Amino acid sequence: MKIIFSRIVSTLLLLLASSLAVFAAIRFSGGDVTAARMPASASAADRELFRKQIGLDQPILKQYITYMGNFVTGDLGNSLTSNARISSLAVEKIRNSLILGGSSLLIVFLVGVPLGMIAALRRNTWVDTGITSFSVAGMAVPNFWLALIAIHLFASTLHWLPSGGQGGFKSVILPALVLSAEGIALTVRITRSAMLENIGQDFVRTLRASGFSERRIYFKHVLRSSLLPIISLAGLRVGQVVGYALVVETIFGWPGVGQILVNAVLRRDYPVIQFFSLLLVVVVTLGNLLASIGYTLANPRLRK
Amino acid sequence: MSQTPLLELRDLSVGLKGDRVEYDIVRNINLSIYQNEILAIVGESGCGKSLTALSILGLHASPPLRITSGSITYDGRDLTKVSPEELRKVRGAEIAMIFQDPMSALDPMFTVGTLLTSAIRAHKKVTDSAAEKIAHECLADAGIEDPRRRFGEFPFQLSGGVSQRVMIALALVNNPKILIADEPTTALDVTVQAQILERLKDLKNERGMSIMLITHNLGVVASVADRMAVMYTGEIVEIGSVQNVFSVPQHPYTTGLLGAVPRLGSNSVALVPIIGRVPLPDNLPKGCTFADRCGRVVPECGVNRPELVSRGAAEVRCFNPFR
Amino acid sequence: MNLLRRARKNKQLVSGSILATVIVLLGVVGPWLLGDYTDQDLLLGHLPPMTSGYLLGSDALGRDIAARVVVGIRISLIVAISVTVIAVVVGTAIGLVAGYIKGAVDSMISLVVDFIWGFPLILVAVLAAASIGSGLLPVILAVGLVNTVAIARVVRGEVLGLSEKEFVVAARAGGYSTMRILTRHLLPNIMPVVLVLSSYYVAVGIIAEASLSFVGLGAQPPLPSLGQMVSEGRNYMRLNHWESTVPGIVIFVMVLSVSLIGDGLRDLLDPRLRTAVERASSK
């Protein structure tokens, strides 16, 4: 319990530090919206006045506190390009990204863990070779390219599924699968090697000698020990999903956080970049924290 | 020894079958274990004693190891031929086994109590409270002082000695007739060793169990065993009562082993090591496998393999035994 | 030598090395053989592969895909390998110091390293592009940072384990300097792990550069990055899918070759993983 508490405290501190870092990096680099808002002919004095009006002349720490205050009250500023209020965009984008990321995480573990177990139980057979080769290939294929192939095949040629956009259940299938490919491959790999390592442990021999059934040994005891690396992986997965969602959402035109952030970076829409990058930093940090708590709870050595 | 044996190994060989290699590691073992006795199997590491023990319950690494010939008869059945499910029902319930390194032999993710009660449930349907009661009794029987506390602990919280006692309790929960103990004290402190051995002896006397004790430690043999079998390069070279073998060893290897044990208050000034090296199982000499290291070689030793024959009160595999 | 013989029998290592050699040759010699990748001829756009003069066909602007692919390979290799070399050197140094010196230094380093490591590479790169503008530089910085902390983490863990081992304790007791223990005793023992990791991180670098260039945040035109070529070709999938299929396959093969090398090296060099695998074959 003490471990969990100290993890939460250090995560909060780091969250504070990293959000400040991200805030400062973006503000210093060009987050100064003066250039975007003022006509090119505006005089230096006018620019200075404008900066003063919106608080850009304040020290960065103060700007950060002001921003965070607004952040909490839901006042996130306006987009430079569309002039829409960011708070009105955010809810829908976040919801869409949660749908995509959530289904991807589900797919990764519902497919990856069983496949990894099958490969371990059928080790050195063609089943194992097949699953392992698939996972090596799955880790090597760039997911943006996989996305193009999937769109070309299932949407443009076969017309089975929509190529993206947001049209209910069907439209999430392709992006979610593409987003999951690398994760499935990695999960298969980690599950397989963890299962194999644990099947070789002395305690398995003890269980056999005590008359436990093979099924019980694999699915209860070996799997339980193998869950630890899988739980660590799950935490990393949250980050990976966030990262690759930037690419995959862009390709499939999935109107989520990833797409809006990439477009904002391309158009230098700094208020939008500021909010959504801070949001993703928070999500990733919390994902890591959850995984670390899960790991602690699943490991008797740490739990006690 | 006129009674019928509980467990009988006949002509048992266990071998390695790889892609290019194929040879036996344990050869032609004939061994019986009777009601209410402790049979010790002694030999240097690599002589095949552990493999012999593991193969009884089918726990040898298979593949690449497999039983190549012979039979293991228990309760009228040949354990080398029964179905996996039938063998499972024997494991723990009829014949139980404990191992050398107790710290790694217990599943780290489960409490002692969960482990013991689910071992009971692997063989019979019992209520939670009944299973817990049996578990507490067995922990106490294994010499654990505070069963109630240990019941809720995880293996990492236990010392080596307590772990081995938990292993013993785990072996006892289904009241087996035979306990195979594979080097049960090797990894433990000397004082704990003695306590564990005492406990095994008590189990024999109190529960009427038979124990097959695998060890390389002749001191252990002398203090607890009734009979002993000496193994060398996968074969039994001498078998008889402990008293007999210790007082009148017949095989030159046995005398060598006894000579290599320091004894307090004995007259011998120096320890006598056995010279030479153990031949490897994939490259055994044509005749007697001990011939290269033996001080009593006769011409036949290099030509033929000796058979295990009765001589006096023991059985010996030698062309030129002592006495 | 025994290691060499085992290396030659290692299928993953051999096939990965062959693929990697071909790729590197293409990246080094290709641009010199295949001529100017910027030559345009709008009348000769969207040519399929094996057209005379265009081995792999041409893109929308009539540029030779083969000539562009080999330059793309070169860029990808330069980014991935140089970044990995820097990450290995810096990451190993940080990990060695943190793991051996321990104490407050270690706590601080670990806190920062673990934190950065929790972040996905692509997000870090997008943030970097957001703050310093799109191009290869933010890609290099992001990949470098994330891979450095990844290596530092593993090295630290290894060193923590090794510094309790007899040979290190003996070296310390023998009065050797910290520097000597770090470089002569610990470094050689962690090199295998670092080597295995670095091949994986070359793969990570290739993927990251390609992904970011694909969404437009990486290499900027007219520099032909592979990811960007896939992106440009996506609009013509029906007309001539080779424009994005060819660079896509090249990225796949590049990543595959280094991951195969990584897997092969792991089996070859890391005895613990080998025993884990061997142990798994016994009940």
Side-chain angles (χ1 to χ4, degrees), chain A residues 14 18 29 123 137 140-142 144-145 148 156 189 196 200-201 208 236 239 243 246 251 265 270 277 284-285 288, chain C residues 115 117-120 122 126-127 130-131 200 211 214 217 230 234 238 244 248-249 251-252 255 263 266 279-280 283:
Chain A
L14 283 170
S18 65
S29 59
R123 62 182 175 278
V141 66
F144 58 87
W145 187 56
L148 290 190
S156 310
R189 222 177 140 106
L196 283 183
Q201 299 288 334
R208 287 210 171 93
L236 285 183
L246 298 173
I251 302 172
V265 173
Y270 287 100
S277 51
V284 172
T285 311
N288 291 336
Chain C
F115 186 75
W117 192 70
F119 281 88
I122 304 288
V126 168
L127 294 181
S131 61
Y200 290 132
S211 302
F214 177 87
L217 298 176
V230 174
R234 65 192 278 207
R238 282 161 173 279
S244 73
I249 291 174
I251 300 168
F252 174 70
V255 176
D263 288 355
R266 183 201 59 203
R279 270 221 314 267
K283 280 187 184 174

Side-chain angles (χ1 to χ4, degrees), chain A residues 248-290:
Chain A
V248 171
E249 285 186 1
T250 307
I251 302 172
F252 283 97
W254 185 263
V257 174
Q259 189 197 31
I260 196 173
L261 181 56
V262 169
N263 284 338
V265 173
L266 289 171
R267 291 174 195 154
R268 301 180 174 272
D269 187 347
Y270 287 100
V272 175
I273 299 177
Q274 187 72 271
F275 170 69
F276 286 103
S277 51
L278 280 176
L279 180 73
L280 291 186
V281 167
V282 172
V283 168
V284 172
T285 311
L286 291 183
N288 291 336
L289 177 66
L290 279 180

